[in-house]
Short mmCIF file of all heavy atoms in Angstrom, two decimals:
data_model
loop_
_atom_site.label_atom_id
_atom_site.label_comp_id
_atom_site.label_asym_id
_atom_site.label_seq_id
_atom_site.Cartn_x
_atom_site.Cartn_y
_atom_site.Cartn_z
N SER A 1 -1.50 -6.66 -5.11
CA SER A 1 -1.89 -6.98 -6.53
C SER A 1 -0.96 -6.31 -7.49
O SER A 1 -0.26 -5.31 -7.18
CB SER A 1 -3.30 -6.53 -6.80
OG SER A 1 -3.38 -5.08 -6.85
N THR A 2 -0.88 -6.87 -8.72
CA THR A 2 -0.07 -6.31 -9.78
C THR A 2 -0.66 -4.93 -10.09
O THR A 2 0.15 -3.96 -10.35
CB THR A 2 -0.13 -7.19 -11.01
OG1 THR A 2 0.44 -8.47 -10.61
CG2 THR A 2 0.70 -6.61 -12.08
N ARG A 3 -1.94 -4.82 -10.05
CA ARG A 3 -2.63 -3.51 -10.37
C ARG A 3 -2.13 -2.42 -9.36
O ARG A 3 -1.82 -1.28 -9.78
CB ARG A 3 -4.14 -3.61 -10.29
CG ARG A 3 -4.84 -2.34 -10.52
CD ARG A 3 -6.34 -2.50 -10.46
NE ARG A 3 -6.94 -1.21 -10.36
CZ ARG A 3 -7.35 -0.61 -9.22
NH1 ARG A 3 -7.21 -1.20 -8.07
NH2 ARG A 3 -7.91 0.60 -9.23
N ALA A 4 -1.95 -2.81 -8.12
CA ALA A 4 -1.51 -1.83 -7.11
C ALA A 4 -0.11 -1.31 -7.45
O ALA A 4 0.16 -0.13 -7.28
CB ALA A 4 -1.48 -2.46 -5.72
N VAL A 5 0.73 -2.22 -7.94
CA VAL A 5 2.11 -1.80 -8.37
C VAL A 5 2.09 -0.92 -9.59
O VAL A 5 2.68 0.14 -9.63
CB VAL A 5 2.99 -3.01 -8.57
CG1 VAL A 5 4.34 -2.65 -9.16
CG2 VAL A 5 3.14 -3.83 -7.32
N VAL A 6 1.34 -1.38 -10.64
CA VAL A 6 1.33 -0.63 -11.88
C VAL A 6 0.71 0.76 -11.73
O VAL A 6 1.17 1.74 -12.26
CB VAL A 6 0.54 -1.47 -12.97
CG1 VAL A 6 0.29 -0.66 -14.16
CG2 VAL A 6 1.30 -2.75 -13.23
N GLU A 7 -0.38 0.87 -10.89
CA GLU A 7 -1.10 2.10 -10.80
C GLU A 7 -0.70 2.83 -9.48
O GLU A 7 -1.27 3.95 -9.24
CB GLU A 7 -2.59 1.86 -10.88
CG GLU A 7 -2.99 1.23 -12.20
CD GLU A 7 -4.50 0.89 -12.23
OE1 GLU A 7 -5.27 1.31 -11.34
OE2 GLU A 7 -4.89 0.20 -13.16
N ASP A 8 0.11 2.32 -8.64
CA ASP A 8 0.48 2.91 -7.35
C ASP A 8 -0.78 3.16 -6.52
O ASP A 8 -1.01 4.25 -6.06
CB ASP A 8 1.31 4.17 -7.60
CG ASP A 8 2.03 4.62 -6.30
OD1 ASP A 8 2.10 3.81 -5.29
OD2 ASP A 8 2.41 5.76 -6.24
N VAL A 9 -1.58 2.05 -6.40
CA VAL A 9 -2.81 2.17 -5.62
C VAL A 9 -2.71 1.33 -4.36
O VAL A 9 -2.61 0.12 -4.43
CB VAL A 9 -4.01 1.63 -6.44
CG1 VAL A 9 -5.27 1.65 -5.67
CG2 VAL A 9 -4.18 2.43 -7.72
N PRO A 10 -2.65 1.97 -3.20
CA PRO A 10 -2.56 1.23 -1.96
C PRO A 10 -3.85 0.52 -1.59
O PRO A 10 -4.88 0.87 -2.13
CB PRO A 10 -2.22 2.31 -0.91
CG PRO A 10 -2.79 3.53 -1.48
CD PRO A 10 -2.73 3.40 -2.95
N PRO A 11 -3.79 -0.51 -0.72
CA PRO A 11 -5.03 -1.10 -0.25
C PRO A 11 -5.77 -0.04 0.66
O PRO A 11 -5.22 1.01 1.00
CB PRO A 11 -4.56 -2.26 0.61
CG PRO A 11 -3.14 -1.98 0.96
CD PRO A 11 -2.58 -1.09 -0.12
N SER A 12 -6.98 -0.42 1.04
CA SER A 12 -7.77 0.51 1.88
C SER A 12 -7.05 0.77 3.20
O SER A 12 -6.25 -0.09 3.66
CB SER A 12 -9.13 -0.05 2.11
OG SER A 12 -9.06 -1.18 2.97
N ARG A 13 -7.39 1.82 3.88
CA ARG A 13 -6.84 2.11 5.21
C ARG A 13 -7.23 0.98 6.18
O ARG A 13 -6.46 0.76 7.12
CB ARG A 13 -7.37 3.49 5.73
CG ARG A 13 -6.69 4.64 5.10
CD ARG A 13 -5.30 4.85 5.48
NE ARG A 13 -5.14 5.26 6.92
CZ ARG A 13 -4.06 5.07 7.63
NH1 ARG A 13 -3.02 4.44 7.13
NH2 ARG A 13 -4.06 5.46 8.88
N LEU A 14 -8.35 0.38 5.99
CA LEU A 14 -8.78 -0.72 6.84
C LEU A 14 -7.73 -1.87 6.79
O LEU A 14 -7.38 -2.47 7.82
CB LEU A 14 -10.15 -1.21 6.44
CG LEU A 14 -10.74 -2.34 7.26
CD1 LEU A 14 -10.87 -1.93 8.77
CD2 LEU A 14 -12.07 -2.78 6.72
N ALA A 15 -7.21 -2.12 5.57
CA ALA A 15 -6.17 -3.15 5.41
C ALA A 15 -4.87 -2.75 6.14
O ALA A 15 -4.04 -3.56 6.44
CB ALA A 15 -5.92 -3.38 3.97
N GLY A 16 -4.72 -1.46 6.44
CA GLY A 16 -3.54 -0.99 7.08
C GLY A 16 -3.27 -1.68 8.46
O GLY A 16 -2.16 -1.75 8.94
N ALA A 17 -4.32 -2.26 8.99
CA ALA A 17 -4.19 -2.99 10.29
C ALA A 17 -3.29 -4.20 10.10
O ALA A 17 -2.72 -4.67 11.06
CB ALA A 17 -5.55 -3.37 10.78
N ALA A 18 -3.16 -4.70 8.86
CA ALA A 18 -2.33 -5.88 8.62
C ALA A 18 -0.84 -5.56 8.38
O ALA A 18 -0.07 -6.41 8.09
CB ALA A 18 -2.92 -6.69 7.43
N PHE A 19 -0.52 -4.28 8.49
CA PHE A 19 0.85 -3.80 8.20
C PHE A 19 1.52 -3.41 9.54
O PHE A 19 0.89 -2.76 10.40
CB PHE A 19 0.84 -2.66 7.26
CG PHE A 19 0.49 -3.04 5.83
CD1 PHE A 19 -0.86 -3.20 5.50
CD2 PHE A 19 1.48 -3.32 4.91
CE1 PHE A 19 -1.20 -3.57 4.22
CE2 PHE A 19 1.11 -3.71 3.60
CZ PHE A 19 -0.23 -3.84 3.26
N ASP A 20 2.80 -3.71 9.62
CA ASP A 20 3.59 -3.25 10.79
C ASP A 20 3.81 -1.72 10.72
O ASP A 20 3.74 -1.06 11.72
CB ASP A 20 4.92 -3.98 10.74
CG ASP A 20 5.83 -3.50 11.83
OD1 ASP A 20 5.49 -3.70 13.05
OD2 ASP A 20 6.91 -2.94 11.54
N ASP A 21 4.07 -1.19 9.52
CA ASP A 21 4.39 0.26 9.40
C ASP A 21 3.75 0.74 8.16
O ASP A 21 4.27 0.60 7.03
CB ASP A 21 5.92 0.42 9.35
CG ASP A 21 6.33 1.87 9.32
OD1 ASP A 21 5.53 2.77 8.84
OD2 ASP A 21 7.47 2.14 9.70
N TRP A 22 2.57 1.31 8.31
CA TRP A 22 1.77 1.73 7.09
C TRP A 22 2.47 2.75 6.26
O TRP A 22 2.49 2.70 5.03
CB TRP A 22 0.40 2.35 7.61
CG TRP A 22 -0.45 2.86 6.51
CD1 TRP A 22 -0.79 4.12 6.24
CD2 TRP A 22 -1.19 2.02 5.58
NE1 TRP A 22 -1.72 4.19 5.19
CE2 TRP A 22 -1.96 2.87 4.76
CE3 TRP A 22 -1.26 0.65 5.36
CZ2 TRP A 22 -2.72 2.41 3.73
CZ3 TRP A 22 -2.12 0.21 4.31
CH2 TRP A 22 -2.81 1.10 3.52
N THR A 23 3.17 3.69 6.86
CA THR A 23 3.95 4.71 6.15
C THR A 23 5.02 4.10 5.29
O THR A 23 5.22 4.43 4.11
CB THR A 23 4.50 5.79 7.08
OG1 THR A 23 3.41 6.41 7.78
CG2 THR A 23 5.22 6.82 6.36
N ALA A 24 5.76 3.15 5.89
CA ALA A 24 6.80 2.46 5.16
C ALA A 24 6.25 1.61 4.05
O ALA A 24 6.79 1.53 2.94
CB ALA A 24 7.66 1.58 6.11
N ALA A 25 5.09 1.00 4.30
CA ALA A 25 4.43 0.19 3.27
C ALA A 25 4.05 1.01 2.05
O ALA A 25 4.24 0.61 0.91
CB ALA A 25 3.21 -0.53 3.83
N LEU A 26 3.52 2.21 2.33
CA LEU A 26 3.16 3.11 1.20
C LEU A 26 4.44 3.55 0.45
O LEU A 26 4.37 3.61 -0.79
CB LEU A 26 2.46 4.32 1.77
CG LEU A 26 1.03 4.02 2.32
CD1 LEU A 26 0.46 5.36 2.87
CD2 LEU A 26 0.15 3.37 1.35
N GLY A 27 5.54 3.77 1.12
CA GLY A 27 6.78 4.15 0.48
C GLY A 27 7.29 2.98 -0.34
O GLY A 27 7.76 3.19 -1.51
N THR A 28 7.21 1.75 0.17
CA THR A 28 7.61 0.59 -0.61
C THR A 28 6.75 0.39 -1.84
O THR A 28 7.27 0.16 -2.90
CB THR A 28 7.56 -0.66 0.29
OG1 THR A 28 8.55 -0.53 1.33
CG2 THR A 28 7.85 -1.94 -0.50
N LEU A 29 5.44 0.57 -1.70
CA LEU A 29 4.56 0.48 -2.86
C LEU A 29 4.92 1.48 -3.93
O LEU A 29 5.01 1.15 -5.10
CB LEU A 29 3.10 0.57 -2.47
CG LEU A 29 2.08 0.53 -3.61
CD1 LEU A 29 2.18 -0.84 -4.35
CD2 LEU A 29 0.69 0.76 -3.09
N GLY A 30 5.21 2.77 -3.51
CA GLY A 30 5.66 3.76 -4.43
C GLY A 30 6.93 3.38 -5.13
O GLY A 30 7.07 3.59 -6.33
N ASP A 31 7.85 2.83 -4.36
CA ASP A 31 9.10 2.39 -5.01
C ASP A 31 8.92 1.26 -5.93
O ASP A 31 9.53 1.21 -7.00
CB ASP A 31 10.17 1.94 -3.90
CG ASP A 31 10.98 3.13 -3.45
OD1 ASP A 31 11.16 4.13 -4.17
OD2 ASP A 31 11.52 2.99 -2.30
#
C-alpha cells in the first residue's frame, strides 16, 4: 500500500509467508 511506503509500515508477519526473503523485503520497504 501507499500508506506502507509513506509510514514505513510492513505487512503483518503472517503475510511474510508470501515473501521470498522477509528481511530483504523489510529493507526494500525502508528504502
Side-chain angles (χ1 to χ4, degrees):
S1 69
T2 301
R3 178 180 167 263
V5 172
V6 170
E7 298 176 13
D8 196 14
V9 177
S12 72
R13 284 290 290 157
L14 182 60
F19 290 83
D20 176 64
D21 183 336
W22 180 250
T23 302
L26 294 178
T28 294
L29 179 60
D31 271 337

